[in-house]
Amino acid sequence: MSIESIDNIKFQTAIGLEVHMELLTETKMYCSCKNTFGERENAVICPVCAGYPGILPSMNKRAVELAVRAGLALNCKINRSFKMSRKNYFYPDLPKAYQISQFFAPICTNGFLEIKGKKYPISDIHLEEDAGKLYENGVDFNRSGIPLIELVTEPCFHSAAEAMVFLKELRLITMYLGVSDCRIEQGSMRCDVNVSVNRIGEPCGERCELKNVSGFSNVYDGILYEEIRQKTLISEGCRVLRETRRWDPEKKESVLLRSKENTADYRYFDDPDFPEIILTEEFVQDIFSKLPMLPNKKRSYYASLGVSIQAAEDIILDPQKDSIFCDCIRMDICGAKTLSGLINGIAAEFLNEAPNYLNEINKEGFCLALCKIGRLREKGAVSSTSAKLLFESHIKGGGDIDLLLKELKLEQISDSEYIEKLAERVLAENRKSVEDYRRGKTNALAFLVGQCMRLSDGKADPSLCKEAVLKRIVYENI
Ligand SMILES: [Zn+2]
């Protein structure tokens, strides 16, 4: 076969994801050790999770609940009876030499995640336990036995960007469900990425698996690298071999780990330590009835309240902001659109500086203050500058917003005589900007209005100032 240039060949890519998410349980999957992160090596282990011979694991009910929760939210069939399987392999971080997982009958099957009208099929979600971790002095078993769900998609993505949109939406849904905190930096969401490339019109190519990639940008870079590597091989007339590869984030390349094992290599069999687990209808229905509102539904609900698409997205992408928004809406003091502006503006600015400020005790007061400021804004009683000052003094010293407004004398000034005088003074002091405006530099107007606001300590009504400035410029011309 002759060597062709990649650019002259039309390829297509198929990408499938296997996403591991650590579950937000109190304890580990099969023992009562705490499910925690950041402890001293081997401080949180017992004979069960350290894999001593003769131990008997017992299933964490909460982990099952969370897996069902994820399955219901992702439109899966929940299998009312399921089994645990042993996945056999040898590695130093797995002292039992098998992982308790699911193979023959996973807990959730045949689901999908819909994004912007497109359904991405999910083959299954199964329960499994995490393995330990190698470190410079040996093996740390703290992570061993931490409950996970592994979500497996069909090879339904055709580009790195598409896979990325899916992962971000999945992460958001899982966080809203309370199933996982998906802390990528702590490894609580990790991905195996299967990539295969073929020429259009030819059968699907052999897939390569990038193992254990953490972080969205690494998944993205890894897929792009694999696409180019496989396209180059094909265009040079070589075969792509089925392999498991490791993504090196430093060198930004994938490295061969091993030729890909088949499922037969894992010698799966039903784990005799577990009976068949039966989920009652009542158990599943109870979880279903408690599902929270998910991002897609929130998007349309917030739009129906008059919030812009972008403002709604900014709120939904940050569960803390979203929770403030929901609490404020329930107070029913001012409109949702005004609230979205305040939450994405002054509240977000403050919480960026003090991310741990909000707690159950002060949240209600925080939300009430935002709502009252929103109502003042809607009535035109305060400018945006004064709204910010009111909010800041409430945070600093507490106090009711309506009282603070009077105390700090922050009411917006709409007095026409006062505003006329402001405009007159600003025009006299800024002749160059007036000329600029006349020559077509429209942003000079914003500067002049800004000067009125500055002279009034932010209290003048900006729309009245704008009107007065414009009127004067036209009048001077006559
Ligand atoms: Zn344990």
Side-chain angles (χ1 to χ4, degrees), residues 376-397:
L376 292 172
R377 288 288 291 146
E378 284 174 349
K379 285 200 301 194
V382 287
S383 67
S384 59
T385 319
S386 300
K388 190 166 183 241
L389 283 172
L390 266 179
F391 181 69
E392 282 167 358
S393 41
H394 170 80
I395 294 282
K396 233 185 217 166

Side-chain angles (χ1 to χ4, degrees), residues 377-442:
R377 288 288 291 146
E378 284 174 349
K379 285 200 301 194
V382 287
S383 67
S384 59
T385 319
S386 300
K388 190 166 183 241
L389 283 172
L390 266 179
F391 181 69
E392 282 167 358
S393 41
H394 170 80
I395 294 282
K396 233 185 217 166
D400 179 70
I401 291 294
D402 295 321
L403 293 175
L404 280 173
L405 176 74
K406 292 205 170 73
E407 259 173 54
L408 301 169
K409 298 191 175 62
L410 287 172
E411 286 107 328
Q412 182 155 279
I413 304 170
S414 314
D415 180 77
S416 55
E417 204 174 315
Y418 170 77
I419 287 175
E420 285 294 333
K421 284 209 169 112
L422 265 182
E424 187 183 348
R425 183 174 159 197
V426 165
L427 259 64
E429 287 174 1
N430 297 281
R431 296 312 301 167
K432 191 176 171 302
S433 298
V434 176
E435 291 312 315
D436 283 349
Y437 181 74
R438 288 205 175 110
R439 268 189 259 114
K441 279 195 180 170
T442 44

Side-chain angles (χ1 to χ4, degrees), residues 29 59 63-64 67-68 71 76-86 100-111 122-128 148-154 268 270 276-279 284:
M29 189 75 179
M59 177 70 90
V64 176
V68 170
C76 291
K77 173 174 180 272
I78 309 298
N79 293 317
R80 299 302 196 264
S81 76
F82 62 88
K83 289 181 173 174
M84 304 309 289
S85 309
R86 287 189 183 180
I100 306 172
S101 178
Q102 292 192 287
F103 182 69
F104 301 104
I107 187 165
C108 315
T109 49
N110 290 332
I122 294 164
S123 327
D124 72 76
I125 300 176
H126 55 264
L127 276 164
E128 60 181 38
L148 291 178
I149 46 172
E150 180 177 338
L151 176 149
V152 184
T153 74
E154 300 283 328
Y268 281 101
D270 288 344
E276 185 178 11
I277 296 163
I278 310 281
L279 303 181
V284 177

Side-chain angles (χ1 to χ4, degrees), residues 28 31-33 44-50:
K28 290 189 183 181
C31 62
S32 53
C33 289
V44 200
I45 60 171
C46 74
V48 174
C49 54

